[in-house]
Amino acid sequence: MARIFDVIEYANEMSDEIVHRFPEEGIGDFRIGSQVIVRESQSAVFFRDGNALDVFKPGRHTIATANIPLLIDWVGKAFNDRTPFPAEVYFVSRKEFANEKWGTPQAIIVRNPNMGFGVALLQGFGTYSFQVKDPQQFVTQIVGAQGAYRTSEIEERLKMILLSKLQDVLGETGAKGNPASKLIGLPEEIGAAVRVKAKEDFEAIGLTLKTFYIGSLKPSQKSAQELRDMGMLDMSTYTQLQAADAMRDAAQNQSGGAGLTAGIGAGMGIGNLMGQALQGGMQNNSQGGSAPSGAKMPDIMTPAEAAQFMKVTEEDIMAAITDGSLKAKKVGKAFRISKDNLDSFMNS
């Protein structure tokens, strides 16, 4: 014979549990007169045959048709009031789940007037907290018949909502003419705007967003290759930025190493370099890819730039690098050629 539960409670602290079903598996046998004990930080949703009959607040409750009005329709007046009936109770934590982490897995593109490309790539991270507002709605829409539902099971969904709203807020704020440097200095204002935008989405699943804090918002460090993969660079500008990377790395690290544009994508404080890169790319295109007349050979060059000075194809330069007649430094997947090495090759 199935066990009849006279006392239904869940005394666990529920540190990472949002919902706990009683019993965890199968269906419990309850009866009129059974006691339901709900802790101060909990609510309890009473279910029978998949239908929510009532929500108990903190305290001790006696199961009766008086506090579960619909129960009489299920049990029926023809049965003795002590007759067991199958049901489940879902204990829902009503505490605030604080210090949940969020971060931008990919850079967010925002407008950045009069700097670089006119756009910025920003990345950020911070914390947020949430709380169950409507226990019955949350259980019926999200939890279903699971024995336990933890914060880890919904965190990705919540972070996607927050990141979507953050992108909207940054886009709207940037559209008003605010440069990226100003956006970085508005963490409180941006956080408050995200909370307002996310409110409806959280409430739609029975939750409330309590806090949203921006711990850091800063320019993304993207390599020229990554920016090109994002569709933000044409080939000419890409070549110029790779050269800028190599020149900076050569100055900072004589032993070499792969370089990043360190925020070039965001255009933060290096608008002139970006402008020069774009201007250089257009100038090269207008002259059919040949080196400008009287142009000074840079100290570090890409194979394409070396080809322009030698008036040969880039394939010719790569062939010379491959057979060893032209010395070059490999940086990541790209090659860099020093002025001295190109002079030696030309005079050999």
Side-chain angles (χ1 to χ4, degrees):
M1 182 177 177
R3 177 185 175 187
I4 298 175
F5 295 99
D6 288 317
V7 178
I8 303 103
E9 66 176 326
Y10 187 58
N12 190 286
E13 187 67 24
M14 299 183 76
S15 59
D16 65 341
E17 275 186 310
I18 308 175
V19 177
H20 188 91
R21 182 180 184 269
F22 185 94
E24 287 191 30
E25 297 181 356
I27 298 175
D29 282 331
F30 307 146
R31 60 187 171 191
I32 302 300
S34 294
Q35 302 289 301
V36 179
I37 300 174
V38 184
R39 304 285 166 171
E40 184 65 32
S41 60
Q42 297 174 339
S43 288
V45 186
F46 197 94
F47 275 80
R48 188 179 191 278
D49 293 342
N51 292 274
L53 303 183
D54 200 3
V55 177
F56 293 123
K57 295 181 179 179
R60 179 184 290 269
H61 306 268
T62 300
I63 297 177
T65 56
N67 60 16
I68 309 179
L70 294 178
L71 188 59
I72 193 169
D73 296 329
W74 296 102
V75 178
K77 294 181 179 180
F79 294 94
N80 186 300
D81 282 346
R82 302 295 292 176
T83 300
F85 57 91
E88 313 99 53
V89 175
Y90 289 81
F91 289 93
V92 181
S93 175
R94 298 297 298 274
K95 73 175 185 178
E96 179 180 351
F97 290 92
N99 203 35
E100 299 292 318
K101 304 293 192 299
W102 67 268
T104 52
Q106 295 181 338
I108 297 175
I109 303 176
V110 298
R111 298 180 64 180
N112 194 29
N114 303 318
M115 293 292 289
F117 294 122
V119 297
L121 298 177
L122 299 181
Q123 288 190 303
F125 63 85
T127 63
Y128 68 96
S129 65
F130 68 93
Q131 187 177 33
V132 175
K133 180 179 182 180
D134 188 327
Q136 182 174 325
Q137 183 181 16
F138 184 75
V139 172
T140 54
Q141 288 190 215
I142 303 298
V143 180
Q146 292 183 229
Y149 193 86
R150 293 176 168 79
T151 55
S152 59
E153 297 180 68
I154 199 172
E155 63 182 11
E156 287 303 318
R157 178 171 180 169
L158 299 185
K159 284 192 286 188
M160 286 299 295
I161 293 174
L162 294 172
L163 290 175
S164 174
K165 304 308 177 185
L166 174 61
Q167 188 167 348
D168 284 348
V169 171
L170 291 176
E172 291 171 359
T173 308
K176 296 177 181 178
N178 295 305
S181 57
K182 185 174 182 179
L183 296 182
I184 292 173
L186 298 173
E188 286 291 332
E189 292 81 355
I190 292 173
V194 170
R195 287 197 297 273
V196 172
K197 278 185 171 287
K199 178 181 178 182
E200 185 175 341
D201 293 75
F202 272 67
E203 290 183 350
I205 55 176
L207 300 177
T208 182
L209 177 62
K210 300 289 288 185
T211 63
F212 179 81
Y213 295 119
I214 297 175
S216 174
L217 189 63
K218 61 182 181 180
S220 171
Q221 293 191 345
K222 291 288 184 181
S223 69
Q225 181 61 53
E226 288 174 303
L227 292 173
R228 179 165 170 76
D229 291 342
M230 294 174 67
M232 297 185 62
L233 297 178
D234 58 28
M235 188 59 188
S236 297
T237 307
Y238 167 63
T239 301
Q240 294 288 327
L241 291 183
Q242 279 195 316
D245 273 346
M247 291 174 68
R248 187 204 61 220
D249 289 340
Q252 295 180 352
N253 183 7
Q254 296 298 325
S255 62
L260 295 176
T261 54
I264 279 183
M268 302 295 292
I270 53 173
N272 290 337
L273 176 59
M274 295 297 294
Q276 292 170 6
L278 290 168
Q279 183 178 3
M282 290 186 293
Q283 184 179 26
N284 288 342
N285 286 340
S286 67
Q287 296 185 10
S290 61
S293 178
K296 181 181 178 181
M297 187 183 298
D299 293 333
I300 302 293
M301 289 166 281
T302 65
E305 291 172 325
Q308 292 174 359
F309 279 98
M310 291 197 64
K311 300 187 184 302
V312 296
T313 67
E314 185 175 350
E315 288 74 14
D316 294 330
I317 295 295
M318 291 304 300
I321 293 174
T322 301
D323 65 25
S325 57
L326 173 58
K327 294 182 180 180
K329 175 77 172 181
K330 191 169 185 179
V331 183
K333 295 182 179 180
F335 286 95
R336 294 295 177 265
I337 305 164
S338 69
K339 178 178 179 295
D340 291 342
N341 286 339
L342 188 60
D343 283 338
S344 298
F345 176 72
M346 294 172 64
N347 297 323
S348 61

